[in-house]
Amino acid sequence: MKFQTTRFGEIEVADTSVITFARGIPGFDDYQKYVLIPADTKEETPFFFLQSLEAEDISFFLVDPFSFFQDYDVKISDQTVERLELEDPSDALVLTTVTVPGEMQHATTNLKAPLVINNRKQLGMQTVLDNKTYEIKQPLFQAEARKV
C-alpha cells in the first residue's frame, strides 16, 4: 500500500507492518493505523517516527527509552497485556514520545506514559505507568536524565 505523508512524502507500507491502536492514541482517538519508521534508515538509531496512515500530517517522534535510561522499569498491567494480546514479554516493544522544544539537546521524553506495541501482532496502545518517579517531560540528554 502507498500512503502520502507530510514528513516523508509518499511511503510504501506492507500490510504486515501496519500497527493498530484500537482506541487511538490519547488526543488522536480517531486515528488507529500507524507505521513505525526508523529516524535514520542507514544506521541503528534509538529514534523512530510513528506515522499515521489516516492523516498525512500526524506523526510522533519516539525513542527507545532503554537507550537513555538503563534502569527504566516498565510494569505493564494485566489489562494492557490482555488488550495487546501479549503472550511473551519479548513481543513487547516499548517506546516513549519525544518533544523537542527548539534544539535537540533540550529534548524531553514521556517516561510516565510509554507506547507499548505487540510487535508480533502489530497492536499498540499508550499506557500510564503507576510509578511516581517517572516524569512526563524527562530530559533526554542531561546528566541527571541517566539516573532514572
Side-chain angles (χ1 to χ4, degrees):
M1 307 181 276
K2 290 186 180 187
F3 293 92
Q4 188 63 37
T5 70
T6 302
R7 180 179 296 275
F8 304 104
E10 186 175 85
I11 58 172
E12 179 108 20
V13 177
D15 288 343
T16 56
S17 64
V18 175
I19 302 165
T20 301
F21 285 76
R23 296 184 180 178
I25 294 172
F28 300 87
D29 303 339
D30 294 338
Y31 308 105
Q32 288 133 4
K33 302 292 183 189
Y34 293 86
V35 65
L36 197 59
I37 302 170
D40 184 349
T41 57
K42 295 181 176 107
E43 295 183 34
E44 283 226 6
T45 177
F47 295 100
F48 299 86
F49 290 95
L50 186 67
Q51 174 64 53
S52 170
L53 299 179
E54 298 161 311
E56 66 181 45
D57 60 336
I58 295 177
S59 75
F60 299 93
F61 189 36
L62 306 177
V63 68
D64 170 1
F66 303 102
S67 296
F68 289 87
F69 308 97
Q70 287 78 26
D71 295 336
Y72 187 49
D73 186 24
V74 178
K75 294 201 182 341
I76 301 172
S77 71
D78 291 342
Q79 181 183 16
T80 300
V81 168
E82 186 177 307
R83 286 198 0 225
L84 292 177
E85 301 175 27
L86 287 165
E87 297 168 13
D88 189 291
S90 65
D91 292 340
L93 174 62
V94 176
L95 299 169
T96 56
T97 55
V98 176
T99 302
V100 184
E103 298 181 29
M104 187 65 173
Q105 68 206 38
H106 301 296
T108 61
T109 193
N110 183 350
L111 294 180
K112 185 71 172 171
L115 297 175
V116 181
I117 298 169
N118 179 332
N119 59 19
R120 184 177 301 204
K121 296 192 177 185
Q122 297 302 96
L123 299 172
M125 69 179 289
Q126 186 170 28
T127 187
V128 178
L129 301 179
D130 187 25
N131 184 322
K132 293 179 182 10
T133 63
Y134 294 146
E135 296 182 31
I136 292 172
K137 292 189 177 219
Q138 177 67 48
L140 263 184
F141 297 109
Q142 296 177 4
E144 61 269 20
R146 299 188 184 278
K147 295 178 183 173
V148 169

